[in-house]
Amino acid sequence: MFSFLFILFFLVVIINISNNLVLWWSVFLILTLLFLIIIKKDFSFKRIVGYFLIQEVCGLLFLIITYDFFQLFLVFIKTGVSPFHFWIFSVLNDCVGFNLLWFLTFQKIPYLLTIIYLFVLVFIFVLFLGILFCFIQIFIIKNFKNIIIINSTDSFSCVLLSLVFTFF
């Protein structure tokens, strides 16, 4: 576990010292592959392929589209920020224990610096709408694991809002 955290810290340092899009994309790819290595024994092949496709299609579009608004939108989809967390439930249904903890916490840390760099103030409304969407969704969902996933998504949106209000 220590080696995974060391790799994560190294990736955060790389993102922090550079604003090169190719370098960011390579960090995103390494993070995706690291998570796939962690979950390969516990997940079904269908869920692994689904996760990989979502992450890499968004990553490829992140490289191709150079407008900050769309890049931020794609990073929101990659991290599962509410209301763009539609894919998380289909991927994390088999996830338990450390794998769930890794995805809901450590996997999102390197994206924070990228989101702060690319943030457009129009997305404050989207974050507020996403938090409201999560509050409504908590009352509808009955599965405990899905409630934890929604709570983590809502908490990450609140962290993003607090960072935005701090830096802007």
Side-chain angles (χ1 to χ4, degrees):
M1 180 175 148
F2 179 73
S3 62
F4 289 130
L5 290 176
F6 179 73
I7 291 171
L8 182 69
F9 175 74
F10 180 69
L11 294 175
V12 169
V13 169
I14 287 175
I15 285 180
N16 198 18
I17 62 175
S18 175
N19 62 358
N20 187 355
L21 293 179
V22 175
L23 186 63
W24 285 353
W25 175 78
S26 63
V27 169
F28 297 160
L29 178 65
I30 291 171
L31 252 148
T32 301
L33 294 175
L34 184 66
F35 185 65
L36 289 176
I37 289 170
I38 291 172
I39 65 169
K40 70 179 177 182
K41 293 180 183 171
D42 296 335
F43 274 36
S44 67
F45 183 72
K46 179 180 128 182
R47 297 190 197 283
I48 290 174
V49 169
Y51 174 77
F52 184 76
L53 285 177
I54 289 170
Q55 292 295 314
E56 291 313 307
V57 166
C58 288
L60 182 63
L61 290 174
F62 180 81
L63 277 178
I64 294 171
I65 300 172
T66 58
Y67 187 59
D68 290 344
F69 182 82
F70 291 115
Q71 285 180 328
L72 183 63
F73 176 73
L74 291 168
V75 173
F76 275 4
I77 291 175
K78 282 177 77 69
T79 56
V81 173
S82 157
F84 309 113
H85 63 285
F86 55 89
W87 60 273
I88 293 178
F89 298 108
S90 64
V91 171
L92 292 181
N93 277 340
D94 293 341
C95 196
V96 292
F98 178 73
N99 297 340
L100 186 65
L101 173 74
W102 180 274
F103 181 81
L104 295 178
T105 55
F106 301 124
Q107 186 76 13
K108 297 180 179 183
I109 291 172
Y111 293 103
L112 283 174
L113 298 171
T114 307
I115 290 172
I116 292 299
Y117 182 78
L118 295 173
F119 199 81
V120 180
L121 291 177
V122 174
F123 274 100
I124 288 178
F125 176 72
V126 173
L127 287 175
F128 276 122
L129 182 69
I131 291 172
L132 180 67
F133 186 69
C134 281
F135 285 151
I136 293 170
Q137 202 171 9
I138 283 176
F139 291 114
I140 296 170
I141 293 178
K142 296 188 178 10
N143 186 356
F144 183 67
K145 185 188 297 183
N146 289 340
I147 290 174
I148 290 174
I149 292 168
I150 287 293
N151 190 13
S152 173
T153 303
D154 179 46
S155 298
F156 189 67
S157 296
C158 290
V159 165
L160 284 177
L161 271 178
S162 66
L163 285 174
V164 166
F165 288 145
T166 302
F167 288 110
F168 292 107

